[in-house]
Amino acid sequence: MTYVCRIPSIVRGVMSIKEMDFVKPVTPWTSGLKQVLKSNGCKPTTYINSCHTNNFIEFLQCLRKEEVLCDIKLKTDDGVIVCAHKVVLVSACPYFRTMFTKFAEADKYVVNIRDIDSNILQLLIDYIYTFKIMVTEENVMGLLSAAIFLQLDYVKGVCVKFLQKQLNTSNCLDIKEFAEFYNCTELLSSSEEYIKTHFLKFVETEEFLSLSCQEVINLISRDDINVPFEEKIFECVINWAKHELACRNDSLPNLMEHVRLSLAPPEYLSKNVVDEPLFKNNIKCKDFVIEALNFHIVKKHRHFNMPRSVRYSPRQTGIKFLLAMLSRCGNCYTSWYDPTTKLLHKIKKLKMGYEVCALALIKNHLVFALSCQDMNLRSVKMLDLCSRSLQWKPNVDMLVDRGSFGVGVIDDRIYAVGGDNDLTELNTAEVFDVSVKEWQLISSMCTERMGPGVGVIDNLLYAVGGYNNGCALKTVECYDPSLDKWTPVAQMSTSRRHHGIGILDGVMYAIGGDCQEHANSVYLKSVEAYTPIANAWSPIADMHLSRYDPSVVTFNGLLYVMGGSDGSSRLASLEIYDPNTNTWTLEQLPTSGDDIHGAVVIDMPSNLRSY
């Protein structure tokens, strides 16, 4: 028996009929094939023709552009008409789904769309048909407000991400107000976070001076604004009041109630606050000053209970860097650096008379400085950030003389790896357990390594590269503390020694260094990344400068690479790597000719600033 099947096809909009003959598909041969396939255990398989999907989308958009089969016209306030197909709008947009299924517009051919710019509406209808949207500085605000109105969550999301990247001190307030008006919580949170993080820069802008009294109070009353000194809060309040003194003078008591004057040093209070002209005839403000002075008097007598008030409570000042730096005169100073304000503060009271090889942070408040001074290659000192009296104190010496060694931390244990002793490369390593205050040797590495990089991922310690027998190394080995065993892993693509190691989101970065071979040194700006799951290294973007012996820390999802040498001079700069864009940003460091020899990220203690 023969069947005739007639297949319709559309060719440029013209319908035609093509007849084709098919034989009834039942024969002993086909029946046998089914048995063969069944015996092979073939599983059902779904195939997706992506070309068909793309062609389908393009075809729908062409129909709309040519107004073929369109059954709805969207009319904007300026009279522009945008044609579309109801079924497409309903399928992709909740707003139109409700309009065309539950309201009178379902039977209309022309619908007015109020308060949306015609260009913006055209972009969003194009998006519904193509799933593509271009966001620019000029259209982002219009797109975001319209996307919120039309309930297009994807467009809303990309607009929010676009604006988050554009945040700066001159626009953060406008973006915050825009987010509040449209109840865009994610963007509102980001803008508020930006303002509190960049507080010191924001208070210098005209935007800050334009705030209302209540808006200033909402800002300065926060515990988590990023401000290193309470004096900055006091100064910004005075500047705000003086900007329009005639109408703001009466607001001073309300503002000063949220300034924690007790956190400012007595010397500052006496010099800058007591004789402030704006307080001359303001009894309430004078009371706040007297309260702060009395607090410092009471503070000297520990047997007195401290008053319980928010005005005596230190702010959560955010994260800072603690840096160890070697000056040209041979003294190693402790400094702290704020990556938000880009300010570096040298603490002369916390200096050491020798060079520091590395810093290690334990329990978030114990900072260990492992030295490589000429007289004692085992020396270790510790700084307790929770101590009332901050100072570096001698700690337990290492077991082995080491210079140019690597340092890593696992479970509050400090590992010192490799190095050299009288120009002899070492393969030994040792660990310090802070709970028992004791160093112990661990298994030796497979290779002697001077100047290795050391990183920690998932409680495994990696010794990366280094120098041995006249040449820089590519090799890498991994130490498992639970097995006390070193195991070789994938080699780097480039030999490196005295390079930096950074860990970010489970990826280890080998940064800069040099690839010395016998007497020849080549200083590197290249960087490569190691992924443990793949056990493979891959190159990323080069830094702007070659960096030998840089310090590396991770902060806010970014890598900070500081200092180092380019082969001819020490570098007073840092570079910041963003893994999302694979780009480096170069910034200057006000180091006054000092060399950076170590860095750790800490919670800034309030007592550190008084040093």
Side-chain angles (χ1 to χ4, degrees):
M1 181 181 294
T2 300
Y3 293 92
V4 176
C5 179
R6 301 190 174 188
I7 303 175
S9 61
I10 298 177
V11 181
R12 296 182 180 179
V14 179
M15 182 77 72
S16 65
I17 300 295
K18 181 178 180 181
E19 294 187 357
M20 297 185 67
D21 292 343
F22 290 94
V23 178
K24 185 177 181 180
V26 179
T27 66
W29 186 84
T30 56
S31 178
L33 177 59
K34 288 182 180 180
Q35 282 298 114
V36 171
L37 293 176
K38 186 175 182 181
S39 65
N40 288 338
C42 294
K43 296 181 179 180
T45 304
T46 301
Y47 299 92
I48 299 176
N49 186 345
S50 58
C51 293
H52 171 75
T53 303
N54 294 334
N55 291 338
F56 180 73
I57 292 170
E58 291 176 5
F59 185 65
L60 282 177
Q61 177 73 332
C62 289
L63 288 178
R64 186 178 77 83
K65 292 290 187 180
E66 297 174 9
E67 300 185 20
V68 176
L69 301 179
C70 290
D71 53 359
I72 188 65
K73 291 185 176 182
L74 306 175
K75 185 177 181 181
T76 59
D77 291 337
D78 57 0
V80 174
I81 298 290
V82 180
C83 295
H85 304 89
K86 286 182 180 178
V87 67
V88 176
L89 300 185
V90 167
S91 66
C93 178
Y95 176 84
F96 288 122
R97 187 177 308 139
T98 302
M99 173 184 285
F100 295 134
T101 58
K102 297 182 180 180
F103 293 97
E105 285 82 0
D107 299 323
K108 292 183 177 180
Y109 184 54
V110 178
V111 173
N112 293 322
I113 303 296
R114 303 290 186 188
D115 301 322
I116 295 182
D117 180 82
S118 57
N119 293 324
I120 296 296
L121 181 62
Q122 182 67 62
L123 285 173
L124 291 175
I125 299 303
D126 284 342
Y127 161 75
I128 289 174
Y129 276 79
T130 65
F131 311 123
K132 298 177 183 178
I133 189 76
M134 176 175 286
V135 183
T136 68
E137 292 181 4
E138 292 74 23
N139 70 21
V140 62
M141 293 296 197
L143 278 176
L144 179 53
S145 60
I148 293 172
F149 178 73
L150 297 177
Q151 302 170 48
L152 293 171
D153 290 341
Y154 177 82
V155 178
K156 174 187 173 183
V158 296
C159 288
V160 167
K161 289 180 180 178
F162 186 90
L163 285 171
Q164 286 171 334
K165 292 181 180 180
Q166 303 299 315
L167 279 167
N168 57 52
T169 53
S170 63
N171 67 23
C172 56
L173 188 59
D174 289 335
I175 292 177
K176 175 178 175 293
E177 291 175 350
F178 177 87
E180 285 178 327
F181 182 82
Y182 286 101
N183 194 29
C184 188
T185 55
E186 185 179 358
L187 185 59
L188 177 61
S189 176
S190 298
S191 56
E192 289 178 339
E193 181 71 21
Y194 185 90
I195 291 172
K196 76 175 188 181
T197 301
H198 299 82
F199 175 82
L200 291 183
K201 289 185 176 181
F202 176 67
V203 297
E204 295 176 355
T205 66
E206 289 294 324
E207 283 73 15
F208 170 74
L209 296 175
S210 70
L211 293 177
S212 68
C213 176
Q214 188 57 51
E215 287 173 325
V216 175
I217 289 174
N218 292 342
L219 180 59
I220 66 173
S221 63
R222 298 184 64 136
D223 259 353
D224 55 353
I225 52 174
N226 188 19
V227 55
F229 309 134
E230 195 66 22
E231 300 94 291
K232 298 297 183 182
I233 302 289
F234 169 75
E235 290 166 6
C236 81
V237 165
I238 297 300
N239 290 337
W240 179 88
K242 288 180 177 179
H243 185 66
E244 294 179 4
L245 187 58
C247 61
R248 293 182 175 182
N249 190 52
D250 292 341
S251 300
L252 262 179
N254 293 332
L255 291 166
M256 289 303 300
E257 184 177 355
H258 300 280
V259 180
R260 306 178 188 187
L261 284 178
S262 300
L263 302 182
E267 300 81 10
Y268 181 86
L269 295 175
S270 300
K271 182 178 179 181
N272 302 90
V273 182
V274 170
D275 296 325
E276 169 55 50
L278 296 185
F279 296 169
K280 186 175 182 180
N281 299 314
N282 196 314
I283 296 175
K284 185 65 174 176
C285 289
K286 284 185 177 180
D287 287 343
F288 289 131
V289 178
I290 294 170
E291 177 188 62
L293 292 171
N294 287 338
F295 173 82
H296 285 285
I297 295 173
V298 172
K299 187 178 178 182
K300 294 180 180 179
H301 306 282
R302 297 184 182 179
H303 57 279
F304 285 99
N305 291 325
M306 292 295 180
R308 302 185 70 177
S309 168
V310 69
R311 290 194 295 278
Y312 308 114
S313 302
R315 298 181 190 269
Q316 301 171 9
T317 55
I319 303 296
K320 304 291 186 292
F321 292 156
L322 180 69
L323 306 180
M325 305 182 68
L326 177 67
S327 71
R328 291 181 177 178
C329 61
N331 289 318
C332 191
Y333 292 94
T334 305
S335 302
W336 61 268
Y337 173 75
D338 183 346
T340 302
T341 62
K342 301 177 184 177
L343 297 177
L344 182 70
H345 304 268
K346 183 182 291 185
I347 309 169
K348 294 184 178 180
K349 293 181 182 179
L350 292 177
K351 71 177 182 180
M352 288 180 280
Y354 55 83
E355 182 180 337
V356 169
C357 179
L359 294 182
L361 180 66
I362 299 292
K363 297 183 182 296
N364 293 322
H365 69 96
L366 300 177
V367 183
F368 288 81
L370 289 77
S371 77
C372 54
Q373 59 175 324
D374 293 336
M375 299 302 295
N376 183 2
L377 293 179
R378 305 183 184 189
S379 176
V380 179
K381 289 193 176 184
M382 186 188 78
L383 176 66
D384 186 351
L385 298 173
C386 292
S387 173
R388 282 180 173 269
S389 177
L390 292 176
Q391 64 181 100
W392 288 101
K393 296 181 179 180
N395 206 273
V396 182
D397 284 357
M398 291 183 290
L399 301 176
V400 177
D401 288 344
R402 297 180 189 276
S404 300
F405 56 97
V407 173
V409 175
I410 301 177
D411 292 336
D412 293 334
R413 291 177 172 86
I414 302 172
Y415 290 80
V417 180
D420 72 310
N421 182 351
D422 291 332
L423 301 180
T424 300
E425 295 89 4
L426 302 174
N427 66 348
T428 61
E430 53 190 295
V431 60
F432 178 74
D433 189 333
V434 69
S435 61
V436 297
K437 299 180 180 179
E438 181 179 272
W439 287 93
Q440 289 184 340
L441 288 171
I442 62 174
S443 294
S444 295
M445 293 182 289
C446 307
T447 304
E448 292 83 5
R449 299 177 186 272
M450 183 188 79
V454 172
V456 174
I457 304 178
D458 294 333
N459 289 328
L460 298 176
L461 188 78
Y462 291 84
V464 182
Y467 182 78
N468 176 270
N469 196 28
C471 295
L473 301 171
K474 294 182 180 180
T475 59
V476 182
E477 44 192 309
C478 174
Y479 176 74
D480 186 339
S482 64
L483 303 175
D484 188 27
K485 181 180 179 181
W486 292 90
T487 304
V489 295
Q491 296 186 18
M492 294 183 290
S493 62
T494 302
S495 301
R496 299 178 191 271
R497 68 163 187 166
H498 291 291
H499 48 293
I501 293 290
I503 306 295
L504 185 58
D505 296 331
V507 177
M508 180 165 61
Y509 296 83
I511 302 165
D514 78 353
C515 54
Q516 177 170 348
E517 256 188 74
H518 302 292
N520 300 316
S521 288
V522 177
Y523 293 89
L524 303 171
K525 65 174 69 173
S526 65
V527 184
E528 50 191 304
Y530 175 76
T531 306
I533 295 177
N535 188 29
W537 292 87
S538 56
I540 65 168
D542 287 355
M543 294 182 290
H544 294 270
L545 303 174
S546 300
R547 293 183 184 270
Y548 173 88
D549 198 24
S551 296
V552 183
V553 293
T554 302
F555 175 76
N556 273 357
L558 305 171
L559 285 179
Y560 281 70
V561 182
M562 295 168 285
S565 170
D566 62 2
S568 59
S569 61
R570 301 298 296 185
L571 298 171
S573 63
L574 65 85
E575 301 198 37
I576 305 169
Y577 177 70
D578 185 342
N580 296 317
T581 59
N582 190 30
T583 56
W584 291 91
T585 302
L586 181 66
E587 296 182 358
Q588 291 303 306
L589 268 176
T591 59
S592 303
D594 295 325
D595 297 340
I596 301 174
H597 284 274
V600 288
V601 180
I602 64 167
D603 289 315
M604 182 69 170
S606 58
N607 54 344
L608 183 59
R609 51 74 55 84
S610 63
Y611 279 67

